[in-house]
Amino acid sequence: MNDLHDPNESPTLRRPRVIVFDVNETLSDMAPLSERFTDVGAPAELASLWFASVLRDGFALTASGSARPFANVASGLLAVMLPLKTLDREIDDAVEHIMGGFMGLDVHPDVADGIRALAALDIRLITLSNGAIGVARKLLEGAGVLEHAEMLLSVDQAGAWKPAAQSYRYALDRCGAEPHEAMLVAVHPWDIDGAHRAGLSTAWINRTGTTYPQYFTAPDLEATSLLHLEQLLRHST
């Protein structure tokens, strides 16, 4: 992994023509979803386990060639994971309340200014989510930066969840770019690894100072925020 925290130090890779943003957790602050769990009588800590389980099962379905939409997997898992004994409403209503939380999420504090700064570098910006396009649209619209997103994409049309190579190829085909011209920006190491294997350059957004897993391919760049990433790319060629 390149240690590029000094914005005056030039990165070792060329500036991408296209940035492909992951959405859930990379752009969106998903912490408020835990409040949706407590709203219905479930423990707040169940939110993180549930989301990790959604990714696990989505990956498993993709590996078996039978990918399903994110909302189907997420709501289906809620129906089996929510503790019926403590819920204050019917299970279907509880699932609907939690799933509705996605449309009310905000971006991380660095995202709006970071997207504007990256757009000013004349880099094409698109999103590619394992979730629905509508969630990405509402998120960017609420942050006042929807105009900077050239394209909002979901793996639903690709037929495979990230990190399957098919999902990244779908995004590249839609925007008419070659793998070496594009950079995947994400907080998830599994996404970074998958994009690398599909031929994209990668930038890992590490807002929390965590350690990158050594069993995944290291990112080309590591940044603490989207604004930090813009600083790194501004000094590239």
Side-chain angles (χ1 to χ4, degrees), residues 39-119:
D39 286 346
V40 302
E45 58 269 22
L46 185 60
S48 58
L49 175 60
W50 163 71
F51 186 68
S53 299
V54 171
L55 294 178
R56 176 202 64 200
D57 288 2
F59 298 163
L61 287 166
T62 291
S64 67
S66 54
R68 300 287 299 278
F70 180 93
N72 288 10
V73 178
S75 58
L77 266 174
L78 283 172
V80 299
M81 292 182 70
L82 287 174
L84 297 179
K85 291 183 178 179
T86 64
L87 294 185
D88 62 5
R89 64 196 76 187
E90 294 296 323
I91 184 66
D92 289 346
D93 292 337
V95 169
E96 182 179 356
H97 180 74
I98 293 172
M99 291 299 296
F102 278 98
M103 298 301 287
L105 295 177
D106 293 322
V107 296
H108 290 286
D110 63 290
V111 168
D113 288 342
I115 285 178
R116 293 187 188 100
L118 289 165

